[in-house]
Amino acid sequence: KPPVLLCDYRAPAWRVTDVELEFDLDPAATIVAARLAVERDPSEPAAPLRLDAEQLELLDLRVDGRRLAPEEYRFETDALTILLAVPRARIETRVRIAPDTNTALQGLYASGGGQSRFLLTQCEAEGFRRITPFPDRPDVLARYTVTLRADKARFPLLLANGNADGAGDLDGGRHWARFVDPHPKPSYLFALVAGRLESIEDCFVTAEGRRVRLFIHAEPDAIGRCGWAMQCLKMAMRWDEERFGRCYDLDVFHIVATHDFTMGAMENKGLNVFNAKYLLADPERATDDGYRHVLAVVGHEYFHNWSGNRVTCRDWFQLSLKEGLTVYREQEFESDLASRTLRRIEDVRVLWRAQFSEDAGPLAHPVRPDRYSEINNFYTATVYEKGAELVRMLASVLGRDGFRRGLDRYFERNDGRAATVEDFLAALEEANDVRLSPWLAWYAQAGTPTLEASERYDAAARCYELTLAQHTAPTPGQPRKQALPIPVVVALFDERGARLPLRLDGEAGTAERERVLPLLTERATFRFVDVPVRPVASLLRGYSAPVRLRWNADADDLAVQIRHDDDGFNRWFAADALSRRLFAQALASGAPDARQLDVWTRSLAQALADPALDPALVAEMLSIADAGSLAEGLVDIDPDAVHVARARVETALAQALAAPLLARYGELSGATDAQAVEPAAQARRRLRNACLAAVCRADPAQLPLAAAQFAQARNLTDRLGALSVLLSAQAAGAEEALDAFAARHAGDALVLDQWLTLQAVQPHDETVEHVAALTAHPAFRWTNPNNVYALVGAFALRNPRAFHRADGAGYRFVADAVARLDTLTPQVSARLATAFGGWRRFEPLRRALMHRELQRLAARDALSPDLADIVGRSLA
Ligand code: B3K
Ligand code: ZN
């Protein structure tokens, strides 16, 4: 199949104005009757009506009530094409589909087992064509009326998008319900749910005075864990009104939880579907991270109601228009409600680990790709996380009010439309009377820019010069790169942490305390005057641009930042920079530089002793980057050497701080808020677990502390934290603890997924065999994406030491899993296969072994388009 190209975009020749759907629901065979009102674009007089159609059994086809003769249409494997002479028509189709055997989890499928097996849909990106023949592209917006009919005992709850519009009983124990969605929408936002689910209800009155009924529906054993999500939903609705002036626009909002989902959640209009993992939470069965993820994902999907649904994408190349913007909105939501610094650190860690490595390999693509073979492979860290960074840079350039004005303009101009990145930039430009066209290059150019900083201080002239230069390495299909606009936020400090003035040469007026240096060309020098002493520069504050900063700052200057910077993010950034430098030294020569190590550990000792510092920030400073992130910029990677060098730095810190870590651990153990989930309680647990890990690393004789914490834990964060320490130390009693954990949480799929993950990420030699054995555990099913990601995904993507075992056993195991999954859930197999994407960056032996597995996959018959695309691009 030839790739789809952005430059080939053409507006649809036929529009659909209204859709009426009738479903006779049955897991084995569901009948879907559709009535479409279609209209031809007058400029396309000859175009036939092309409806996408996949895996449908066509039972009937009529145009304006007349059944078509065979020569009047073509029904192929991917489309139903109708030759129409009239400019508008009513198309009626009847098809049969089989939800029960749909393991791809796209279109209409079944979730759960036994009594509570229920039906639901997933349409984004191209699943609607597996439900009914339709122009399944985001720029066809239609009004939907949906009638569902089903057995009342098996499917008492019937839901579709929009407001309820009648329900009643039918003969034979069946019933019906109708829904009208007044907002025109693309087909990817269609959803229905039918099953025996339990519900909780709440209510929200919008700023416009609309009374909205809120529902969360889940299987009976899960409904008791939905309260937190409901609170999060109400917080999100209020926040979007206050921060962005966006109100909800239907009388009802539903969320449904499922355990069978290929991703996190889906923003279907008025009927969000959630992976249970991002919806359920209680102290016994969710970690603190779990609670925060629920907040973030409930917010994210809700915010899509404007950034995605009211204003949607013209085509899938514009995916980041909704995803980058919505991730940004989600980040701001959590930053406003919890800790901005922490959320920033987490986002930057994800960006470095997932996006930078994507950008450095064969799967690199721009935030707005210009071609794709399989769009489902473009729901990537680049489109989501880097896309959010681009929005963040634009917001910082325009300022808070300017960005709000621009976004208001964007929503107003494009409401009910399918928009492009250009529409977004145009709205921001017009509302602020600025020119943003240089920013399009950020959307079009793949690869991570390297920002090189160098400095010079002239004491006699009281002048400080900062030179910034940018460079982006070639990526597939883009050999030459252009300079991008890079906003570099800076502040200058003296060595005691007092701010220094920021007046540039030739400027009059008072000096600012923090400013944005716009780097618009390949290189620029900024000359600050009246600088009384050699300054300590705090660069890229708040991580003001998604670039790799190369700056050989003096270790003592970094220590000043760790101690005094008033940007919490940059305190962490400085600590991280120093730890990376020590890691690089350990990797190159076996040991970190003693003096710099001492600077680092003493700075962290001070942070640990500082009662004014957020304990969560201290925990983050103590947690050095994972091996994948540390190896990100390297070539000829030897994963064993990376592991050893990282462990050396980690152990050196733990030993240097052993006594204060133990003391802080003890202090934090006195807290009585074991079941509290407020940020402050979470922060204390985070630091306590970080202390525990370090204390036991420095001295295995302390492992009984972990055993005791495991035995006494009153929440999942403490229990898992302790178990993790026992496992990574391969402590006596670790096996028993694992078994006790599994017994305690038997039957709880989400908790057992974490139990699987914990075992999958152990950097031990025998982890491969252990993980392979766990695929036979009753808690694991190949057809369940959560299970697969928890076990195989964690092993392949988060355990570089074991995945890259020198005999290739890790590669073989993962490639076999990918092949097996490809016949079940292609989207999941394609995502797992990205673990091989970086193969060229490893040392020759691993490179050859990984290459062989990719070739073995490529040689298989009947690869799914999803997997064929990843393997093909990885080998190209
Ligand atoms: N928009 C969905 C992702 C759909 C993925 C399709 N393969 C969830 C989200 O980003 O909110
Ligand atoms: Zn999204």
Side-chain angles (χ1 to χ4, degrees), residues 1-9 315-319 362-380 383 443-444 476-478 869 873 876:
K1 210 167 97 182
V4 185
L5 305 183
L6 171 58
C7 60
D8 286 347
Y9 175 81
D315 51 65
W316 291 120
F317 299 104
Q318 322 294 328
L319 182 57
L363 303 175
H365 55 273
V367 169
R368 179 166 66 180
D370 57 8
R371 60 179 56 220
Y372 63 80
S373 303
E374 177 48 63
I375 187 57
N376 283 316
N377 289 336
F378 284 82
Y379 289 76
T380 57
V383 166
Y443 283 91
Q478 289 187 336
D869 171 44
R873 280 192 283 145

Side-chain angles (χ1 to χ4, degrees), residues 124 263 265 267 300-301 304 322-323 376 379 384 827:
E124 187 176 359
M263 64 231 168
E267 70 265 24
H300 181 106
E301 304 311 326
H304 266 315
K322 77 177 176 80
E323 294 306 346
N376 283 316
Y379 289 76
Y384 275 65
Q827 274 186 31

Side-chain angles (χ1 to χ4, degrees), residues 692 696 702-713 722-723 725-726 732-733 737:
L692 179 68
C696 294
Q702 301 286 5
L703 279 166
L705 282 179
Q709 177 173 321
F710 180 77
Q712 289 151 19
L723 185 57
V725 170
L726 294 173

Side-chain angles (χ1 to χ4, degrees), residues 219-248:
E219 289 171 65
D221 66 332
I223 195 68
R225 283 182 267 169
C226 296
W228 171 241
M230 185 66 96
Q231 282 184 47
C232 294
L233 175 60
K234 290 192 287 183
M235 292 190 276
M237 294 178 86
R238 191 60 75 210
W239 181 86
D240 211 14
E241 293 182 349
E242 287 169 358
R243 177 77 193 268
F244 287 112
R246 300 293 117 201
C247 289
Y248 188 62

Side-chain angles (χ1 to χ4, degrees), residues 47-80:
L49 172 65
R50 186 180 188 283
L51 305 175
D52 297 296
E54 275 177 21
Q55 314 209 345
L56 305 175
E57 186 186 343
L58 184 63
L59 304 176
D60 194 20
L61 170 60
R62 289 162 200 256
V63 173
D64 293 327
R66 184 176 69 82
R67 177 170 283 152
L68 291 193
E71 65 277 11
E72 293 175 287
Y73 69 94
R74 268 199 324 273
F75 186 51
E76 292 151 311
T77 50
D78 61 350
L80 170 62

